[in-house]
Amino acid sequence: MIKIKHPQELTRLRRLALSAQGLLQTTPYGRGLTGARKAIDHLGYVQVDTISVVERAHHHVLHSRVPSFKPAMVNKMLLAGDIFEYWSHAAAFLPMDDFRFSLPYKHAIKSGQTHWYKNPDKKLMEELLARITIDGPLRSRDLTNNSEKPTKRQGWWDWKPAKKALEQLYMQGDLMVSDRTGFQKTYDLTERVLPSHVNSHMPSIEEFATHLLDQQLRCHGLVTLKGLTYLRRNTELRKTVKALVNERLAQGSLEQVLSDGEEFILEAGMFAQTLPRMNNRLLILSPFDNSVIQRERLKTLFQYDYQIECYVPAAKRQYGYFSLPLLYRGEFIGRMDCKAHRKDRHLEIKSLHLEPRYCNDGPVSSKFWRGIESDFESALVEAITQFSYFQECDSVSLTQTYPKQLTQSLISALKHLG
């Protein structure tokens, strides 16, 4: 086991993780549509989220890694059969070649081993399947239920019975999403959506464990046992993954690294490999980015304590409704709370916080900060410029920064954006 004792070793471990995520290289997967396909294949999934304060998560994640990415490319990939929509640890777009590994969860729902809805209306589900079989693809908004009294929707749990039945059919695998317009899904029979060449055989528990381990090592570089089955409640799967890890450790194809009391697992020899050079790019990431979604791992590896606060009461928020992680030179250096006002084509930066270890309320004093101060502002301005274009915004405003002495200089630097 390798024990991390020096700051340089921890820096190398972090760079290994970021490189595996495609966040150190300028074009790790290529550009445009081709790059987006390769990015999802490598990452294993891109999370779908409904929050639209800024461009939605699945677009944001790809924008961070793929130059010339456009949001419309996601639906192009869906229509072309390159990706499919289903549940990973959350709603996600996944590589179509990984379709068979969605089958265990679908089977568990269909067989009643686990529940999406506790009491699905099977009669209504049969009627919907018959309608789609005869009439073709169906949008959820096309459904009506004349017997249902109109009520004020509070969320997805108040869906009309027909919409719940449609979602149940989707989650248990009878239907797939064949098209998307924004967040309006179109459903069709799985056999009509699934490309003929795709393997649709149920994987064994050993095959599933191998898939998860190989995928996580590829896209994260280093993993923990807990992270390998992140938010998966299948006890047998967890045991099989652990046994597979122990087998590969015994064979010598994997090795362990101990950092801050946490054991990380990586392929043998990876820790010593040559990594991409550090650059001065600053990345504004999504709260649902693959690199930050496992919050405990993020805190242990990067000493970055991150929580999305849109679910926190306003009075208790520390950083803002939807603060975005800022990654700079291998460090999560801060977070930025902002909102895209699309009608006005204006990006409002409500607050920008640097991490306390890099600064305080007086003069910026950290040794790390003194080493990057001259480059940070220009990198941040360039990142905000590109981010605003991605939001289709022509102007930017900045309200406040922490430390406060950065506010005026950044406001002046952003004047070129209106």
Side-chain angles (χ1 to χ4, degrees):
M1 179 182 292
I2 302 170
K3 295 182 179 180
I4 301 300
K5 298 179 180 179
H6 304 291
Q8 296 90 336
E9 293 175 327
L10 179 58
T11 297
R12 166 164 281 277
L13 203 62
R14 290 172 174 174
R15 286 180 66 190
L16 178 62
L18 294 172
S19 177
Q21 275 288 304
L23 293 174
L24 291 186
Q25 309 90 321
T26 305
T27 54
Y29 312 110
R31 308 175 68 88
L33 185 59
T34 299
R37 288 193 192 101
K38 290 181 178 178
I40 293 182
D41 285 346
H42 178 84
L43 296 171
Y45 78 94
V46 172
Q47 184 168 336
V48 178
D49 193 77
T50 60
I51 297 173
S52 59
V53 177
V54 294
E55 186 60 68
R56 288 185 169 92
H58 46 293
H59 298 149
H60 192 165
V61 169
L62 293 171
H63 164 76
S64 298
R65 294 164 172 81
V66 182
S68 304
F69 168 78
K70 303 295 181 185
M73 292 175 182
V74 171
N75 204 48
K76 286 184 179 179
M77 291 187 286
L78 185 67
L79 292 171
D82 299 320
I83 60 175
F84 72 104
E85 187 171 347
Y86 193 62
W87 199 259
S88 179
H89 70 272
F93 290 113
L94 303 104
M96 186 62 81
D97 286 345
D98 291 347
F99 175 80
R100 66 189 298 242
F101 299 105
S102 70
L103 297 177
Y105 190 46
K106 291 173 180 175
H107 174 73
I109 293 173
K110 192 165 189 174
S111 64
Q113 296 173 37
T114 190
H115 299 286
W116 189 251
Y117 295 115
K118 285 191 176 180
N119 297 299
D121 188 333
K122 294 187 178 180
K123 183 175 183 298
L124 186 53
M125 288 164 61
E126 289 176 1
E127 292 172 356
L128 281 169
L129 269 181
R131 175 177 172 178
I132 293 171
T133 300
I134 296 169
D135 297 339
L138 183 71
R139 297 175 299 179
S140 58
R141 73 181 182 189
D142 293 332
L143 297 172
T144 57
N145 187 336
N146 296 327
S147 65
E148 184 179 23
K149 295 180 181 179
T151 58
K152 184 179 179 181
R153 272 192 65 186
Q154 300 298 318
W156 62 266
W157 53 88
D158 292 323
W159 273 19
K160 296 177 181 179
K163 289 185 179 179
K164 286 185 177 181
L166 191 65
E167 186 74 3
Q168 179 74 21
L169 288 166
Y170 162 67
M171 289 304 299
Q172 70 182 35
D174 294 294
L175 300 178
M176 288 180 70
V177 175
S178 61
D179 195 2
R180 240 183 189 273
T181 303
F183 269 79
Q184 179 61 50
K185 301 176 186 176
T186 299
Y187 298 89
D188 200 355
L189 300 179
T190 292
E191 57 263 33
R192 293 204 294 232
V193 177
L194 193 67
S196 59
H197 69 274
V198 174
N199 187 340
S200 58
H201 291 96
M202 178 74 72
S204 67
I205 196 73
E206 292 79 15
E207 287 176 319
F208 198 4
T210 300
H211 167 72
L212 282 179
L213 178 55
D214 291 342
Q215 178 198 72
Q216 294 293 296
L217 287 170
R218 180 184 71 241
C219 71
H220 284 302
L222 52 144
V223 298
T224 63
L225 271 177
K226 184 177 182 179
L228 282 168
T229 52
Y230 177 65
L231 295 185
R232 296 181 186 270
R233 299 176 182 177
N234 186 325
T235 302
E236 185 182 2
L237 178 62
R238 289 178 176 177
K239 289 180 179 179
T240 307
V241 167
K242 184 176 182 179
L244 179 61
V245 168
N246 288 335
E247 178 185 337
R248 292 192 185 182
L249 285 170
Q251 292 171 347
S253 60
L254 296 181
E255 61 186 2
Q256 291 173 299
V257 173
L258 181 65
S259 178
D260 197 23
E262 183 71 76
E263 290 184 3
F264 290 97
I265 303 153
L266 63 164
E267 291 183 357
M270 285 289 287
F271 186 69
Q273 76 170 10
T274 302
L275 295 172
R277 294 178 60 185
M278 198 68 71
N279 58 52
N280 284 330
R281 277 196 315 154
L282 186 145
L283 294 177
I284 302 168
L285 299 178
S286 167
F288 303 102
D289 193 276
N290 302 50
S291 65
V292 301
I293 199 65
Q294 293 185 33
R295 311 298 195 210
E296 290 182 20
R297 178 183 186 273
L298 182 67
K299 187 175 181 180
T300 299
L301 189 56
F302 290 93
Q303 283 77 62
Y304 186 63
D305 191 2
Y306 179 74
Q307 178 187 18
I308 185 171
E309 295 182 311
C310 54
Y311 308 115
V312 176
K316 295 184 178 181
R317 290 174 193 149
Q318 184 178 0
Y319 298 108
Y321 178 82
F322 203 65
S323 65
L324 311 177
L326 302 179
L327 177 65
Y328 184 57
R329 296 185 67 172
E331 300 273 354
F332 285 93
I333 195 171
R335 58 200 85 196
M336 183 176 80
D337 184 41
C338 58
K339 180 177 181 178
H341 299 273
R342 293 179 177 84
K343 289 183 179 179
D344 300 325
R345 298 182 65 88
H346 178 75
L347 180 65
E348 176 191 10
I349 302 174
K350 299 180 178 182
S351 65
L352 188 150
H353 291 79
L354 295 184
E355 291 301 282
R357 65 182 179 273
Y358 301 131
C359 60
N360 53 37
D361 289 335
V364 176
S365 59
S366 158
K367 181 179 179 181
F368 178 87
W369 175 256
R370 289 199 303 271
I372 68 170
E373 185 176 8
S374 61
D375 299 322
F376 173 74
E377 184 175 295
S378 60
L380 178 60
V381 169
E382 175 62 21
I384 291 173
T385 300
Q386 296 304 318
F387 191 68
S388 66
Y389 294 156
F390 178 55
Q391 309 303 318
E392 297 187 346
C393 292
D394 302 322
S395 62
V396 176
S397 63
L398 171 64
T399 303
Q400 58 188 348
T401 68
Y402 300 92
K404 295 177 181 179
Q405 66 267 29
L406 292 176
T407 304
Q408 288 306 315
S409 63
L410 284 175
I411 288 175
S412 297
L414 290 168
K415 279 184 177 179
H416 71 286
L417 288 170

